[in-house]
Amino acid sequence: MADAAIARSDARPAPGEPSAWQQLKVNRNWLGFWFMVPAMAFLVLFLVYPLGKGLWMSFTDARIGREGRFVGLENFEWLSDDSDFIRALIFTLVFTFFASAVKFAIGLYLALLLNNNLPFKAFIRSVVLIPFIVPTVLSAVAFWWIFDTQFSVITWGLVKLGILDRGSPINWLGDPFLAQCVVIFANIWRGIPFIAITLLAGLQTVSPSLYEAATLDGASKWQNFRYVTYPLLTPIIAVVMTFSVLFTFTDFQLIWAMTRGGPVNATHLMATLSYQRGILGGNLGEGAAIAISMVPFLLAAIMFSWFGLQRRKWQQGENND
Amino acid sequence: MTSITRRSLVKSAAAAGAIAGSGLTDWARAWAQASPFRPEQGAQISLLRWRRFVEAEDAQFNKMVAAFTQATGVRVNVSSESFDDVQPKASVAANTGTGPDLIWSLYSVPHLFPQKCLDVSDVADYLGKKYGGWVPLAEAYGKTGGKWISIPVAVNGGYINYRISMLKAAGFNEVPADTKGFLEMAKALKAKGTPVGFPLGRATGDGNAFAHWLLWSHGAAQVDEQEKITINSPETRAALTYAKQLYETFIPGTAAWNDSNNNRAFLSGEISLTANGISIYAAAKISQDAKQREIAADMDHAFWPTGPLGRPAEIQLAFPMFGMTYSRYPNACKAFMAFILEAEQYNPWLEAAEGYLTHMLNAYDSNPVWTRDPKARVFRESAKRSFPAGYKGPINEKAATAIADFIVVDLFANHCTGKEDVEGAIRLAERQLRRIYR
């Protein structure tokens, strides 16, 4: 009896049991997969492939117009001994750290200010966005003029005020250290609105009743911020700062329009150095290696945000660490 | 020859209007009939060129383009990019196999991807035979492995630009012809409060010109004829020491200067002397601003001083034009290059450029632009006085990379700004050159 049953099921599928092809067509689990395919193809094409290709190129001596040979870690070995690369790496970290920290501090302060009831609130809020809206290249060119050694409006003003001698201009973009400060300043100017407006959106979700309750309990302004606003804002701070760090770390336009990495390669970020070596110098393999060297740092920033966001207390603001 | 649409009719009419009166239309038609280079049926090509510094040159160039379209029916789309952006665009086009059919670029760009450039030996031979031969520099830039991969259309001569009155005030009637006297002059100018300034930043044209002159005039070179690296030499040390002394007389900020900073500083009277093409003079001469016209009247040009090497050692900015192998219309590309270098086209263009462009074909020595204004005189020699990029080595992608990476500029910038001592600056340059010339 049992044998017969097995023989039958071998011969053809039992009624109601679809074939493999039909399974693929109608099974709900497969259907989910099919729905995901376009998105996956999209990601593979535009994300995985370029990243994979970049990774591969960093192990070759590819040049523009010519496929490279596999050279293993040669590019990375070369870079580890390259003082310009090491300087670019350090400057990128310093640049990211300083710019992000200052942007956060000022952005948060601005968001708190804008959250108050001000006259012309909507107008002021949109004005704050201007640095973010102006195309980066445009603002960078403006900064380039503001900090030109010969024609700087700041120098001009100081001379007119009698603070500075006419013959001794400030060597803004010509001095490596000053040039580094200037590009950090420009990046801060540009990045503040993004943080301020996003944090402002976060602030508006905080229920006023919480402040009322806290005030009734005798909380001071500072305590209001420290124990009500800040804990409720932490999830959004985590997101905003992740983005801010990523944007700052990968900044390119600003540096390129203002200094091209000069003077004497002092303001190269990894992104600009990668472009300089890969596209201008024609050494695609080395350029790719510099770009790939950025990945661990970017990954660390993403991981930080990922695990930060996974924590329930961050999301709900139950505890304030 | 080509199908006529309403659009092309309108376009040709406009083109005919543009060149009416020049009498070139008939010539251009006859040229198209007789030329050995026949464009493909229905061809249209796109051309990427460097953005002009002299407006009249651009206007005359567009007239040539219109005349070419008129004569051959080939539409030419011209787009332009600033000096620094031509090379990245060309590199990307070469790598991806799409982009402009023709590229008119700087220095040795075609040598970055010689296998992607059209073989234009026939065009070069045709022009060379007809116009008294190419200068040696043209062969150096145009050829690789015995065949021509680009047509060296012109060079942009860069020379000393100086203010006559400021030099006089410092006790000099002219720019000294040797490096030693030149340094004395720079010191005297600084003492008078009218310092000199040369770019040591990312200035593709003027920065490279200054740095290579420093290096070569002292007898140093990055490599020898066999591509052996020779940067670590007593000559380089002498050049660096000299550069540092000269740098001390500069106006502040030159380490950040690009190709336009020195023009601005000169035209605002901040500096007495710099290195540039004739563009400062050409622009100031026709300026609306009376002050600028005064500067034009008060300025002149001089050759780069000769150093211990004992002969001219300059790098002048070559402008090679090349077709891409991916182009669907290689013959139209060739026809265009031949067309613009014919005397009937090239002579008026050279005149319009007012000395900004210098020919590489010997026959054009007699162009009136070189005699009309004595202040343009020095620029006639620029193609003959220039060494090729990568000297003493051959022009190839290694030389092109060294220029693109600003190795020589950085060598001097590193030392002059005090970032590195002589040995440190040489070590850095040598290390990079080793990787390029391996």
Side-chain angles (χ1 to χ4, degrees):
Chain A
M1 224 22 232
D3 284 344
I6 289 165
R8 211 168 42 237
S9 72
D10 270 0
R12 62 186 163 82
E17 278 227 1
S19 70
W21 170 239
Q22 263 175 339
Q23 191 110 10
L24 288 185
K25 276 205 301 191
V26 297
N27 183 307
R28 287 193 156 246
N29 295 323
W30 275 105
L31 201 66
F33 175 77
W34 293 129
F35 279 135
M36 280 194 308
V37 162
M40 260 165 53
F42 202 76
L43 284 177
V44 167
L45 192 64
F46 291 106
L47 219 73
V48 179
Y49 173 71
L51 198 66
K53 175 114 186 183
L55 190 63
W56 163 248
M57 267 197 326
S58 69
F59 294 122
T60 69
D61 62 355
R63 298 191 53 88
I64 282 177
R66 175 146 63 63
E67 289 292 315
R69 290 177 297 118
F70 181 79
V71 294
L73 289 172
E74 201 269 355
N75 283 320
F76 294 96
E77 278 165 25
W78 157 262
L79 287 173
S80 70
D81 191 31
D82 185 294
S83 59
D84 281 336
F85 171 74
I86 293 177
R87 217 147 59 113
L89 175 63
I90 294 171
F91 180 59
T92 309
L93 293 175
V94 173
F95 179 85
T96 309
F97 177 77
F98 267 102
S100 302
V102 177
K103 277 191 279 195
F104 173 67
I106 302 181
L108 180 61
Y109 181 65
L110 214 58
L112 291 171
L113 278 185
L114 291 173
N115 199 34
N116 293 333
N117 262 326
L118 299 165
F120 308 112
K121 199 159 71 175
F123 176 72
I124 295 175
R125 280 179 188 173
S126 41
V127 165
V128 166
L129 269 176
I130 284 180
F132 194 57
I133 297 164
V134 177
T136 312
V137 172
L138 213 64
S139 49
V141 169
F143 275 113
W144 181 51
W145 272 104
I146 291 172
F147 292 107
D148 186 287
T149 306
Q150 267 76 46
F151 304 102
S152 163
V153 65
I154 301 174
T155 312
W156 181 84
L158 292 176
V159 168
K160 289 280 164 193
L161 289 172
I163 296 170
L164 209 68
D165 269 351
R166 203 203 162 300
S168 58
I170 305 171
N171 197 359
W172 292 114
L173 289 177
D175 179 79
F177 178 70
L178 275 180
Q180 291 175 339
C181 297
V182 165
V183 292
I184 291 179
F185 174 79
N187 181 282
I188 290 171
W189 178 83
R190 193 180 147 64
I192 286 172
F194 170 69
I195 294 181
I197 295 296
T198 321
L199 290 184
L200 179 63
L203 283 175
Q204 310 217 313
T205 61
V206 180
S207 160
S209 59
L210 292 173
Y211 292 115
E212 282 164 20
T215 315
L216 284 178
D217 286 345
S220 67
K221 259 200 155 161
W222 165 249
Q223 283 168 328
N224 254 333
F225 171 74
R226 177 68 185 80
Y227 297 108
V228 181
T229 315
Y230 176 70
L232 288 174
L233 219 51
T234 30
I236 218 161
I237 289 176
V239 179
V240 163
M241 286 320 287
T242 310
F243 274 106
S244 173
V245 166
L246 292 186
F247 289 155
T248 315
F249 195 87
T250 55
D251 199 356
F252 175 86
Q253 291 184 61
L254 196 79
I255 303 285
W256 200 251
M258 281 177 74
T259 66
R260 306 234 151 178
V264 286
N265 300 322
T267 58
H268 262 310
L269 295 179
M270 287 165 90
T272 54
L273 190 69
S274 163
Y275 180 76
Q276 169 70 43
R277 299 268 172 91
I279 303 295
L280 296 186
N283 204 336
L284 283 178
E286 191 182 326
I290 298 173
I292 290 294
S293 314
M294 294 166 75
V295 171
F297 297 97
L298 296 174
L299 220 55
I302 294 167
M303 288 301 181
F304 172 76
S305 116
W306 176 253
F307 290 114
L309 289 172
Q310 290 290 307
R311 290 166 60 185
R312 279 176 60 83
K313 52 183 173 181
W314 269 45
Q315 282 177 341
Q316 298 178 351
E318 279 167 1
N319 211 336
N320 24 353
D321 50 32
Chain B
M1 215 165 135
T2 50
S3 63
I4 296 173
T5 61
R6 191 191 63 85
R7 183 177 284 273
S8 71
L9 260 178
V10 172
K11 236 183 136 65
S12 321
I19 58 172
S22 63
L24 280 177
T25 322
D26 294 339
W27 174 84
R29 284 229 180 79
W31 180 87
Q33 291 298 315
S35 165
F37 307 103
R38 297 193 171 273
E40 294 82 355
Q41 201 78 19
Q44 45 177 305
I45 52 177
S46 54
L47 163 71
L48 172 70
R49 66 164 289 180
W50 45 273
R51 187 163 299 137
R52 52 129 168 104
F53 275 75
V54 177
E55 205 178 331
E57 176 272 306
D58 195 33
Q60 190 63 35
F61 184 77
N62 290 337
K63 278 188 199 168
M64 290 202 295
V65 171
F68 179 73
T69 304
Q70 176 93 342
T72 59
V74 177
R75 259 203 287 162
V76 185
N77 274 322
V78 182
S79 57
S80 63
E81 290 289 342
S82 70
F83 270 19
D84 300 325
D85 295 334
V86 176
Q87 194 224 316
K89 288 236 165 167
S91 296
V92 170
N95 223 30
T96 56
T98 58
D101 301 282
L102 269 174
I103 298 176
W104 193 21
S105 69
L106 282 71
Y107 285 127
S108 34
V109 171
H111 294 271
L112 281 172
F113 35 78
Q115 67 282 19
K116 305 272 175 178
C117 302
L118 275 184
D119 181 352
V120 288
S121 303
D122 44 356
V123 182
D125 291 343
Y126 164 82
L127 291 167
K129 267 189 207 115
K130 196 165 172 188
Y131 294 107
W134 294 96
V135 298
L137 185 75
E139 299 209 13
Y141 272 113
K143 275 176 154 175
T144 186
K147 69 174 188 184
W148 292 78
I149 55 163
S150 73
I151 295 297
V153 178
V155 297
N156 161 230
Y159 280 114
I160 305 292
N161 287 223
Y162 66 95
R163 295 285 295 274
I164 300 167
S165 62
M166 292 179 181
L167 240 69
K168 280 226 168 78
F172 288 83
N173 281 325
E174 55 187 15
V175 176
D178 64 308
T179 41
K180 217 171 142 211
F182 191 72
L183 179 61
E184 292 311 313
M185 176 209 64
K187 283 180 181 162
L189 283 166
K190 174 157 174 106
K192 285 279 173 196
T194 51
V196 306
F198 293 93
L200 273 174
R202 293 282 178 256
T204 312
D206 302 331
N208 271 312
F210 176 58
H212 282 86
W213 164 72
L214 283 170
L215 186 72
W216 294 343
S217 67
H218 283 83
Q222 60 191 29
V223 288
D224 67 6
E225 292 81 352
Q226 277 75 48
E227 295 191 345
K228 199 171 136 264
I229 290 151
T230 54
I231 198 74
N232 192 347
S233 68
E235 287 84 7
T236 308
R237 286 183 184 80
L240 282 167
T241 311
Y242 178 81
K244 179 94 176 173
Q245 289 173 320
L246 196 59
Y247 179 77
E248 258 133 44
T249 70
F250 284 10
I251 193 167
T254 49
W257 277 11
N258 64 22
D259 273 303
S260 64
N261 287 74
N262 59 336
N263 296 37
R264 286 205 310 260
F266 192 88
L267 283 170
S268 64
E270 299 267 334
I271 51 172
S272 55
L273 186 148
T274 189
N276 205 66
I278 204 169
S279 48
I280 292 181
Y281 176 66
K285 202 167 66 168
I286 54 163
S287 168
Q288 301 287 322
D289 185 354
K291 264 197 191 143
Q292 301 224 337
R293 288 201 302 275
E294 266 168 47
I295 290 181
D298 182 40
M299 69 180 284
D300 203 349
H301 306 99
F303 289 127
W304 288 99
T306 316
L309 183 69
R311 59 191 169 100
E314 303 161 359
I315 189 167
Q316 305 291 5
L317 187 50
F319 288 128
M321 191 183 282
F322 51 97
M324 307 299 292
T325 44
Y326 59 68
S327 170
R328 287 160 59 212
Y329 306 110
N331 290 334
C333 292
K334 286 182 179 181
F336 182 79
M337 289 191 264
F339 182 82
I340 61 169
L341 275 143
E342 295 280 7
E344 286 76 2
Q345 299 296 328
Y346 196 76
N347 267 324
W349 182 33
L350 212 53
E351 275 195 77
E354 304 222 34
Y356 184 75
L357 297 177
T358 306
H359 52 273
M360 298 236 218
L361 283 161
N362 290 317
Y364 294 118
D365 270 347
S366 56
N367 189 289
V369 73
W370 308 124
T371 44
R372 196 174 51 200
D373 185 343
K375 289 184 180 176
R377 200 189 56 244
V378 296
F379 292 94
R380 179 171 73 180
E381 309 305 320
S382 44
K384 291 179 185 138
R385 288 171 63 99
S386 172
F387 291 172
Y391 166 86
K392 299 168 180 180
I395 296 189
N396 49 25
E397 61 182 328
K398 298 170 191 166
T401 304
I403 283 254
D405 264 351
F406 290 96
I407 303 233
V408 178
V409 176
D410 280 352
L411 168 72
F412 287 100
N414 277 334
H415 180 53
C416 289
T417 56
K419 191 189 145 203
E420 296 286 341
D421 60 7
V422 170
E423 298 307 320
I426 291 178
R427 201 170 46 242
L428 282 179
E430 193 179 16
R431 182 174 177 273
Q432 285 188 286
L433 286 168
R434 268 195 204 300
R435 183 166 165 89
I436 292 170
Y437 283 95
R438 61 186 166 174

